[in-house]
């Protein structure tokens, strides 16, 4: 039972490069989310998806692109990485968003933009 | 503006002692309040979820309380263990509208970093 996985776990890239972070879940959850976690801040929502081919912006979407062609995958692309995008990125999934539905988080990807 | 504030930022206690972490929130419309535990280098893991009508919820040695009138919550850890060393994050869920319909978005506090020493 793999659950929710992220790859790569660590990534160093240069300013201006495109980089894609992968997220895969094996539960067939309808909802998937991308968050970033920065020191001194709580997790902030970048994008979320309610189902395949349905995505919507979160709190901090600028500079990011997402897609969801399959229920189990939700890649996050930084089209032209900037130093301000250095962060730890967490993917999460859930079967719904009401109180009875847990969000399950992946292990995170630590991204450094030089 | 929806906000979740936690105190203290960090805390050191001795193994076996109890501690209480605090959370204040200004979130509307409120849906539910969650406490997560995040070990270093790992994703957050849910400890408790409380709705508006619940004022206490336990999960083993963890007990969360909620006062919806004062918009405060606390997480009490009893008989702490070394494995309790982690960040504890208060998360409030608020109903929001997106292009795909309504959903309950999570608003995260910055967390309290707890270190349990032998």
């Amino acid at each position: 039972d793999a659950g929710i996985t992220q790859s790569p776990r660590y990534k160093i890239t240069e300013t201006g490069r495109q980089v894609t972070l992968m997220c895969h879940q094996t539960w067939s959850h309808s909802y998937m989310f991308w968050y970033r976690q920065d020191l001194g801040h709580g997790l902030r929502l970048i994008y979320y998806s309610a189902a395949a081919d349905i995505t919507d912006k979160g709190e901090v979407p600028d500079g990011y692109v997402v897609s969801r062609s399959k229920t189990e995958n939700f890649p996050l692309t930084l089209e032209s990485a900037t130093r301000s995008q250095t962060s730890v990125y967490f993917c999460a999934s859930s079967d719904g968003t009401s109180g009875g539905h847990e969000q399950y988080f992946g292990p995170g990807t630590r991204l450094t933009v030089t | 503006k929806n906000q979740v504030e936690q105190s203290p930022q960090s805390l050191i206690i001795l193994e076996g002692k109890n501690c209480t972490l605090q959370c204040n929130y200004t979130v509307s419309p409120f849906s539910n309040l969650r406490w997560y535990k995040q070990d270093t280098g790992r994703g957050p893991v849910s400890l408790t979820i409380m709705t508006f009508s619940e004022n206490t919820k336990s999960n083993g040695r963890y007990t969360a309380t909620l006062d919806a009138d004062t918009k405060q919550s606390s997480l009490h850890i009893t008989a702490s263990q070394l494995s309790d060393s982690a960040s504890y994050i208060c998360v409030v869920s608020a109903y929001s509208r997106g292009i795909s319909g309504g959903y309950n978005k999570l608003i995260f506090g910055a967390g309290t970093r707890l270190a349990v020493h032998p």
Side-chain angles (χ1 to χ4, degrees), chain B residues 4 11 13-14 18 22 30 45 48 55 67 70 72 83 91 93 100 104 110 113:
Chain B
V4 177
L11 182 63
I13 62 173
L14 293 177
N18 303 335
Q22 301 292 341
F30 175 90
V45 175
T48 62
N55 55 24
D67 185 333
T70 62
Q72 295 180 324
S83 59
V91 184
S93 177
S100 53
N104 287 301
R113 185 175 296 275

Side-chain angles (χ1 to χ4, degrees), chain A residues 34-111:
Chain A
W34 273 107
Y35 295 92
R36 60 178 290 173
Q37 185 175 39
D38 303 297
L39 207 60
H41 287 90
L43 275 77
R44 291 179 290 176
L45 182 65
I46 303 170
Y47 269 95
Y48 75 100
S49 169
D53 297 321
I54 300 175
T55 62
D56 200 359
K57 295 178 180 179
E59 185 184 351
V60 288
D62 293 343
Y64 303 95
V65 175
V66 293
S67 62
R68 195 163 175 213
S69 57
K70 291 184 177 181
T71 300
E72 61 267 31
N73 297 324
F74 191 37
L76 175 74
T77 298
L78 289 68
E79 292 192 302
S80 178
T82 64
R83 289 196 182 90
S84 65
Q85 292 176 310
T86 292
S87 187
V88 181
Y89 290 85
F90 287 99
C91 178
S93 73
S94 72
D95 212 16
T97 65
S98 63
H101 293 102
E102 293 279 2
Q103 272 196 32
Y104 297 92
F105 287 81
T109 294
R110 183 175 292 276
L111 176 68

